[in-house]
Amino acid sequence: MPLEILGKMYEKANREYYAIGQFNFSNLEFLQSALDAAEEMKSPVIVALSTGAIKYGGIKNLVSMTRTMADQIKAPVALHLDHGANMDDVKMCVDAGFTSVMIDGSHHPLQENIALTRQAVEYAHSHGGITVEAELGRLGGIEDDVNVDERDARLTDPAEAVRFHAESGCDALAVAVGTSHGAYKFKGENKIDFDRIKVIKDKLRIPLVLHGASSVDADSVKMINQYGGKIEGAKGLDAESYAHAIKNGINKVNIDTDLRLKWTAVLRKLMHDKPGEFDPRKFLGPARDAVKELIKQKMKLLGSAGKA
Ligand code: G3H
Ligand code: 13P
Ligand code: ZN
């Protein structure tokens, strides 16, 4: 079916307390993994492009590939801009056919973040009712040696979130609750402020988004290291964290690092095991299948499986 406006997918997820996975891509294979997983799991899916991915693959190529592939399946697919930095990014993606955009003004002072998000909302809503995700608070792990005041200054403030939403008109809000991007999220224990999610949800009642939500699967890291890689001290979210976050009001979970780790692990092993092989499909095909299986597992964990 044609690409779907993300806001439409959110209605049911928000009502029924499940989350839709956002899976980042920048090539054919990752996109196939996500869409095939969605079709097999009868799950809605969000595929996302960062500005780096757009630069890598070319916006027209990536959008037409996504449209063409989404048209061939029954599962609903939304195409989302991940971490847009300014109005040029937002306009470029809305004009190119994305069905959702993120404007990330989280590093700006509150008033500037509101003003930037407001502009993005006005543009996106008046061009086909495209959904807008904003971010408030700063992502980052909650370290043991950070005191309560320092921690609160970084994480999303519920009262500020109410004002931010009222004045910006954003459709969904990414909250800072202790997660961070990449493979090194926690030094010690896995710390996420789940209560904060619930407080914000009770006040806003809009879809909330968890960034930096990869699990950093130990088996992938082990395989990477076994076959010549060097990834040390990597740590991500455990499976219970998803359930806890979703129960408290998260409706979109962003996953990129886990896909990259799985892909790298499979490729490293295959290159080692098949020294005489040089057909790229013999490497990329199995890596694509492994990423698809991983996405299917995530869809079950997030509760989106069967919701298409
Ligand atoms: O949040 C960041 C995403 O993982 C995208 O990363 O900018 O390397 O494409 P990227
Ligand atoms: P991970 O690095 O944990 O996969 O997070 C990705 C993300 O938040 C993209 O916006
Ligand atoms: Zn992110």
Side-chain angles (χ1 to χ4, degrees):
M1 55 193 258
L3 291 177
E4 185 153 302
I5 302 286
L6 178 53
K8 204 171 154 227
M9 285 187 196
Y10 271 148
E11 285 167 20
K12 193 170 167 201
N14 199 23
R15 215 172 39 238
E16 296 183 13
Y17 275 76
Y18 63 87
I20 308 168
Q22 168 187 310
F23 303 102
N24 286 49
F25 74 103
S26 51
N27 62 11
L28 169 74
E29 286 81 4
F30 272 51
L31 185 58
Q32 286 177 318
S33 303
L35 268 54
D36 288 352
E39 191 68 346
E40 286 178 29
M41 298 307 290
K42 297 188 172 27
S43 169
V45 67
I46 301 159
V47 288
L49 293 165
S50 66
T51 49
I54 290 171
K55 207 166 161 203
Y56 176 81
I59 192 159
K60 285 192 175 168
N61 302 332
L62 294 164
V63 173
S64 54
M65 197 160 76
T66 310
R67 273 195 180 131
T68 305
M69 284 164 56
D71 277 345
Q72 296 171 58
I73 63 171
K74 291 197 193 79
V77 181
L79 176 60
H80 174 77
L81 165 66
D82 194 24
H83 295 282
N86 50 49
M87 280 308 293
D88 286 346
D89 293 344
V90 168
K91 285 181 180 166
M92 169 178 73
C93 292
V94 168
D95 296 352
F98 284 50
T99 58
S100 175
V101 289
M102 175 185 189
I103 179 75
D104 181 358
S106 59
H107 48 286
H108 292 305
L110 179 64
Q111 200 52 49
E112 281 174 42
N113 190 0
I114 291 173
L116 180 62
T117 303
R118 181 79 232 157
Q119 260 186 293
V121 167
E122 277 163 14
Y123 192 82
H125 286 187
S126 63
H127 288 76
I130 303 304
T131 312
V132 177
E133 172 184 331
E135 180 166 321
L136 187 63
R138 275 175 296 139
L139 249 57
I142 305 173
E143 291 94 24
D144 290 330
D145 53 357
V146 167
N147 68 39
V148 177
D149 288 348
E150 282 172 312
R151 197 193 81 149
D152 279 2
R154 275 211 322 239
L155 302 187
T156 308
D157 176 65
E160 219 168 77
V162 172
R163 178 177 161 210
F164 182 86
H165 174 242
E167 295 183 21
S168 72
C170 65
D171 302 296
L173 186 67
V175 289
V177 290
T179 60
S180 58
H181 291 117
Y184 308 92
K185 300 189 194 298
F186 308 101
K187 284 224 176 66
E189 204 193 316
N190 189 331
K191 281 195 188 148
I192 299 173
D193 191 343
F194 296 106
D195 293 342
R196 190 175 292 262
I197 299 172
K198 180 155 174 32
V199 173
I200 298 171
K201 185 70 165 195
D202 287 345
K203 287 180 185 294
L204 264 59
R205 312 301 317 162
I206 63 169
L208 299 180
V209 182
L210 189 65
H211 281 247
S214 279
S215 311
V216 189
D217 165 41
D219 289 342
S220 292
V221 173
K222 196 172 155 206
M223 203 194 283
I224 290 172
N225 289 338
Q226 197 178 338
Y227 291 97
K230 197 169 191 291
I231 294 179
E232 286 160 359
K235 197 166 191 305
L237 272 66
D238 46 39
E240 299 87 76
S241 296
Y242 289 142
H244 210 154
I246 293 165
K247 189 178 76 188
N248 284 5
I250 291 289
N251 300 111
K252 174 169 171 280
V253 166
N254 288 10
I255 295 167
D256 188 0
T257 298
D258 277 344
L259 314 186
R260 296 176 179 197
L261 288 171
K262 176 63 77 182
W263 189 83
T264 303
V266 173
L267 279 189
R268 277 196 177 276
K269 182 174 188 319
L270 279 171
M271 293 229 168
H272 171 272
D273 290 351
K274 296 179 183 254
E277 185 58 71
F278 55 88
D279 177 347
R281 295 166 297 190
K282 298 289 192 315
F283 299 116
L284 296 176
R288 176 181 65 189
D289 294 345
V291 171
K292 179 179 86 173
E293 289 309 314
L294 177 70
I295 293 177
K296 284 167 68 176
Q297 285 169 24
K298 298 285 185 191
M299 286 168 166
K300 280 189 215 158
L301 284 174
L302 302 182
S304 70
K307 300 289 187 183

